[in-house]
Amino acid sequence: MTEKRLSFKEMCAKFDVTPRTLRYYEYIELLTPEKEGRSRFYGPRELARMTLILRGRRFGFALEDIRQWLLIYEKEGTTVQMQEWIALADRQMEELRQQRAQLDETMAELQRLRDDTAKTLA
């Protein structure tokens, strides 16, 4: 039995990405579809990689970090990749904590200014 492959259009629809995004991921070598003439086909490996790419983007990882992380699997295997994942996740969690602190500070300042303005009107 042949493994299910998706066409370019099916891949865009499945992952809700634009053709431009999919082509860009190929250009920066995050994805390497099989090519038959001008057609591209995505097998199980590319579907798994796309799932990981989109998950990484959702968590705020840079595409280059995701690319390097995916390369680790190919060159050094699962254990090293998981160790690197933990390091990446720790760095990203710290970045998100800092962003949240800045956001909380900005919101508190905005609330103070809003309340001061409301008092002026009262």
Side-chain angles (χ1 to χ4, degrees), residues 15-80:
F15 290 100
D16 194 26
V17 296
T18 64
R20 182 178 180 183
T21 296
L22 197 52
R23 281 192 295 272
Y24 183 67
Y25 288 173
E26 291 174 29
Y27 175 75
I28 63 172
E29 300 176 349
L30 286 171
L31 299 172
T32 51
E34 298 172 33
K35 295 182 180 172
E36 293 175 12
R38 293 183 51 144
S39 300
R40 297 176 176 104
F41 295 96
Y42 303 83
R45 176 185 180 270
E46 300 312 304
L47 272 74
R49 288 175 69 94
M50 187 66 166
T51 299
L52 293 172
I53 292 164
L54 294 178
R55 185 178 296 155
R57 295 300 291 152
R58 190 175 127 243
F59 293 138
F61 291 106
L63 287 174
E64 181 58 21
D65 288 340
I66 295 168
R67 191 177 77 75
Q68 291 297 324
W69 182 72
L70 291 170
L71 279 173
I72 290 170
Y73 175 76
E74 293 173 14
K75 294 180 179 179
E76 301 180 54
T78 304
T79 301
V80 176

Side-chain angles (χ1 to χ4, degrees), residues 105-118:
E105 196 176 301
T106 301
M107 289 175 65
E109 183 179 348
L110 179 59
Q111 186 67 53
R112 280 191 302 277
L113 288 170
R114 181 243 174 247
D115 292 348
D116 289 348
T117 302

